Amino acid sequence: MPRRYWLFKSEPNAYSYDDLLRDGVAEWDGVRNFQARNTLRDDIQEGDGVLFYHSNEKPLSVIGTAIVVRSGYPDHTAWDPGSDHSDPKSTPDNPTWYMVDIKAEYRFPTPVPLEQLKTMPELAEMVLLQKGSRLSVQPVTELEWNAVVALGKQSG
DNA sequence: GCCAACGTTGGC
DNA sequence: GCCAACGTTGGC
C-alpha cells in the first residue's frame, strides 16, 4: 500500500512538537470524535506521514512532520479513571476509542503558517482550510503534503 | 474573550 | 427519529 498522509492538530500547550521530539514516540491518545476515531482505527498505517499542526495558539502553523510507527489500537486512556479523557463506555473488551503511535520526523526550518496555506490555490481543498472544520485527525493528499513540506523546507 | 460551526445528548 | 439544548473546537 502506498504511503498515505494525514494532519494531526495539537494545542501546543497540551502537547507540542517539541514534546514529541523530547518523547521520541508518542501515543496519540485522547481523540474523542467518531470520524477521527474511524481514521485512526481503519486508515492510518505504519509508515504514513503526519503533518503536525499547532492549533489554538499563535503562530497557528504546521511545524513539522511525524511518521506513524504503530497503526490503530485501542486507546487505553479511555478506561483509566485518572485520565482527562476517560470514557466509562469504552472497555478493554469492547473499546470505543483508538489511537496510533507517532514519532517526530522532520522539524521545518520554517514553520508554515495557516495564513500562508490559505493563499495557495493548490491547497484550497485541504480539509484544514474548510470552513468550520474541527477534525483533529484528517486526511491530506500527496499533492498537499508535497506542497506543505516544500514550504517548510524553505529557509527564511 | 467572542462566537460560529459542529458533534453529541436526551426529551419527546 | 426528530430536533433543541448543550458543550467543545478553534480561528479571529
Side-chain angles (χ1 to χ4, degrees), chain A residues 64-120:
Chain A
T65 69
I67 185 167
V68 176
V69 294
R70 182 175 176 185
S71 61
Y73 64 104
D75 180 348
H76 56 75
T77 67
W79 50 82
D80 173 1
S83 167
D84 291 343
H85 313 295
S86 70
D87 177 0
K89 293 194 289 292
S90 184
T91 65
D93 286 343
N94 190 18
T96 307
W97 305 112
Y98 281 73
M99 62 186 179
V100 301
D101 290 354
I102 64 172
K103 186 174 70 175
E105 187 177 48
Y106 177 59
R107 191 189 219 286
F108 291 159
T110 314
V112 183
L114 179 63
E115 286 300 314
Q116 187 176 12
L117 298 178
K118 287 179 180 174
T119 67
M120 314 238 349

Side-chain angles (χ1 to χ4, degrees), chain A residues 33-89:
Chain A
N33 167 282
F34 286 103
Q35 191 175 348
R37 184 282 308 271
N38 292 346
T39 301
L40 290 168
R41 184 189 60 191
D42 303 333
D43 300 330
I44 300 183
Q45 297 298 322
E46 187 178 333
D48 285 356
V50 173
L51 296 175
F52 198 103
Y53 177 74
H54 277 178
S55 69
N56 250 323
E57 199 170 277
K58 294 199 171 178
L60 302 168
S61 54
V62 179
I63 193 162
T65 69
I67 185 167
V68 176
V69 294
R70 182 175 176 185
S71 61
Y73 64 104
D75 180 348
H76 56 75
T77 67
W79 50 82
D80 173 1
S83 167
D84 291 343
H85 313 295
S86 70
D87 177 0
K89 293 194 289 292

Side-chain angles (χ1 to χ4, degrees), chain A residues 128-147:
Chain A
L128 182 70
L129 303 182
Q130 302 316 303
K131 187 178 180 187
S133 170
R134 304 187 327 190
L135 260 186
S136 63
V137 172
Q138 54 182 248
V140 171
T141 67
E142 185 172 13
L143 184 148
E144 291 162 353
W145 169 273
N146 288 336

